[in-house]
Every structure is written in C-alpha cells, then in structure tokens.
Amino acid sequence: MSDVNSEAPTVALMDQLPDASIQGQSPLFHADLATVAKKGPKTGGVVFKEQALMGQITLRLNAENAEQLKAAEKVLGVSLPTQPLTSVESGDVSVRWISPDEWLIIVPGLKAFDVESALHAALSGHYQVVNVSGGWTVFMLSGKNARDVLQKSAPVDVHPAAFPVGKVVTTVFAKSSAIIRRAGDDQYELVVRRSFADYLWLWLQDASREYGLVVEA
Amino acid sequence: MFYIYCPYCGEHREEEEFHNHGQAHIERPKDPDSCTDEEWGNYMFFRKNPKGLHHEIWVHAAGCRKFFNVTRHTVTYEIKEVYKMGEQPKVVAE
Ligand SMILES: [Zn+2]
C-alpha cells in the first residue's frame, strides 16, 4: 500500500495533564470510593474498583504494514495484537484490538504523553495516534459473581468457553457501551466513557446487590 | 432478532450491536455532470425493495465500527451470507 502522507506530518502535541498544583479527579471523584470502601462490606460476590486516571491512547495503522507494526512494538515493548478480539499486556502497558486497524493502549496516566510522543516519533506514513485519556475511565470487576453482573448488562457471550482470559469485546453495556476485557479468571476490565461513569457505577451497584458488592479504593 | 456474524470481529453478535444502512452496491454515476436527471435521481433516491434476496450494508456500530455486506432474504429474514466491503455476493437471485 502506498502511504498517503509520506512527508512528515505536522502534529500538534500537547501534554493534557496540568502541573502538580492541580489535583487530578477521576469521573467517580464525587462518589468518594475511599470512604465507600472503608465503610462498606468486606466480603461479597462482586468486587468493584476504579482504576482511576489511567492514560488511554488510540492507535490506528495498517495491520499489514510490517514497518509500522515494528515501530509500534519498539515503543510499546509488545507487538500489537492483530488477531481480532485479543489483547496483550506487558508490565504497565496493555494493548487491546478494537478494530482491524485500531488499538486501545492503556498506560499509567503520567506515562501517556511520553508514549504518545514516542509513537509519533517512531511511526511514519498513514497512521493516527490520539491521546483520549480524558474520555474514558477503567472499572475492574472481579469476584465469583462478576460474570453474573456482566450477563445482566451486556448481550455478548461471557461464558468462559467463549470468553477466554485476554479476550476483548466492544459492546453494548447497560444501554451504554464498554470495552470489556477478561483480565483474569474472575476478573474483568471495563473501559467506559467518562460521561457514563456515574450512571454505570449506579448500574453496577444495583446489578451486584443480590451478590453483595465490595468496593475497593 | 438477528444473530449477525461480523466478518471483522470473526464472531456472531446480537443485532443490537449493529445498524442497517440500506441497499448495498449502489454505484455513483462516474460523471455526474453529464448524467441525465433520471440517472441521478435513480442513484440518489430509488432503492430496490425485493421480495426475496436483498444485498444490504450493515455496520458493527457498537463493536468494531466496520461496515460490511449482508445478503438477507426479506421473506424468511434468513441471512444467507456476510461479506466484507469491496467483495461481491455469492448468493444472488436467479
Ligand atoms: Zn465487528
């Protein structure tokens, strides 16, 4: 494939994080999960934890372009999963296949700008890197009834036979949407829109009531 | 309810993840300036409404967000085949 932009593109790069004098607030800041965790039950079938203030980057490139794949791998330390609905994880970097030419990368929030800059420096040709950290937040759902809560919320098959560890699906979730990844045996990661974070937090509390909900801060 | 195979995700998903975008394989007149009003009108406004096989575009809206084609029987609602953009249908009406 001939590249559309073979000349170096002009990309406006800006670190979205303010300096340390301004405290970062997750979309569930108002819910005061630390207090909820302290006062709430310590055992239950479902465990909820917000992985607050992570850095999210969407990367788009041609999955058949070996040069681009190699450049991305060099920056991320892992090769992009080109198999549909799969993910890879290495240290504090995780990469999800979300479309044949698109990946969602999650890194610690403070690392996002570095990774974004490094991707721009390493990649050439027709590609896209966008720091979307402000648009999403991450919920971790675990416990022996976590799967039951997913079954109430999404139309995808989450039976272990159809949803092995590492699989990623982007789907309808409680009339909103989520990128769901099975992170472990009883562990699921939900990447959700920040504007729906409060609604989904309320939904998850309701959906896990019958199993007992433990909140971790 | 349809249970639709997404050729990009490589698995079946519920209909609520998809949207239908109408008739597939509509070709824009190559030279709009020199085509007749009738040709342009047919391209813009007129669509097939067959009783039987229909080739249509769907998008995996809540999933991978890719468009693809579906051959569907409008009487039985049976999905006969799913194929990627740029490909041609194998199941066609006689
Ligand atoms: Zn899909």
Side-chain angles (χ1 to χ4, degrees):
Chain A
M1 198 188 107
S2 72
D3 285 318
V4 181
N5 302 317
S6 40
E7 286 163 42
T10 320
V11 180
L13 260 178
M14 187 190 80
D15 191 352
Q16 299 173 6
L17 293 179
D19 65 51
S21 66
I22 299 171
Q23 187 199 7
Q25 295 186 347
S26 92
L28 290 188
F29 178 79
H30 65 285
D32 190 10
L33 294 177
T35 305
V36 177
K38 206 152 68 186
K39 290 189 179 157
K42 300 288 178 283
T43 57
V46 182
V47 179
F48 174 91
K49 181 175 167 47
E50 187 196 15
Q51 222 143 49
L53 305 176
M54 297 297 284
Q56 281 93 1
I57 295 164
T58 52
L59 168 64
R60 299 196 66 175
L61 50 79
N62 177 5
E64 263 137 49
N65 185 329
E67 218 169 282
Q68 289 187 328
L69 289 177
K70 212 158 57 183
E73 181 180 349
K74 220 167 155 191
V75 171
L76 299 170
V78 285
S79 48
L80 295 179
T82 49
Q83 200 56 30
L85 312 179
T86 59
S87 66
V88 294
E89 203 174 347
S90 170
D92 55 9
V93 178
S94 54
V95 187
R96 293 141 200 78
W97 180 103
I98 54 173
S99 187
D101 52 8
E102 188 171 5
W103 293 265
L104 175 67
I105 301 160
I106 299 190
V107 294
L110 293 171
K111 228 179 135 175
F113 183 62
D114 294 342
V115 174
E116 181 191 3
S117 308
L119 284 169
H120 277 300
L123 288 164
S124 61
H126 192 53
Y127 74 94
Q128 183 189 62
V129 174
V130 183
N131 188 338
V132 292
S133 304
W136 301 89
T137 193
V138 182
F139 294 165
M140 295 303 296
L141 217 55
S142 55
K144 67 176 172 35
N145 295 110
R147 179 154 74 92
D148 298 311
V149 172
L150 294 187
Q151 281 173 327
K152 289 188 195 182
S153 313
V156 291
D157 188 355
V158 288
H159 188 278
F163 203 59
V165 173
K167 183 171 176 177
V168 182
V169 296
T170 309
T171 186
V172 179
F173 190 91
K175 291 180 242 173
S176 172
S177 65
I179 301 170
I180 308 173
R181 180 169 70 107
R182 187 158 171 223
D185 278 344
D186 275 337
Q187 214 181 2
Y188 301 90
E189 171 202 79
L190 309 178
V191 184
V192 302
R193 295 264 172 201
R194 78 161 290 138
S195 54
F196 282 95
D198 181 59
Y199 160 72
L200 289 170
W201 157 237
L202 296 173
W203 169 281
L204 290 170
Q205 287 175 82
D206 187 54
S208 32
R209 184 162 300 156
E210 62 178 299
Y211 314 113
L213 176 64
V214 181
V215 175
E216 282 181 359
Chain B
M1 284 290 285
F2 288 120
Y3 197 43
I4 301 171
Y5 182 86
C6 172
Y8 296 99
C9 289
E11 68 174 23
H12 285 82
R13 295 288 185 84
E14 292 288 339
E15 183 185 344
E16 66 177 297
E17 290 190 10
F18 299 86
H19 288 310
N20 182 303
H21 275 263
Q23 187 183 327
H25 308 297
I26 295 169
E27 202 179 329
R28 188 175 196 269
K30 296 231 162 22
D31 184 6
D33 288 335
S34 64
C35 77
T36 64
D37 283 354
E38 189 181 353
E39 282 170 334
W40 188 252
N42 283 340
Y43 160 68
M44 285 293 280
F45 304 114
F46 287 83
R47 296 294 177 259
K48 289 179 184 149
N49 185 20
K51 185 176 181 183
L53 292 179
H54 188 226
H55 306 292
E56 54 199 15
I57 298 176
W58 286 73
V59 59
H60 194 183
C64 64
R65 294 148 292 140
K66 290 290 177 200
F67 288 83
F68 57 95
N69 301 298
V70 169
T71 302
R72 181 175 63 91
H73 198 287
T74 58
V75 177
T76 63
Y77 269 45
E78 190 188 346
I79 291 175
K80 300 287 191 184
E81 65 176 333
V82 164
Y83 52 105
K84 290 180 178 177
M85 276 301 166
E87 294 176 354
Q88 291 298 316
K90 290 194 184 71
V91 184
V92 289
E94 282 112 50

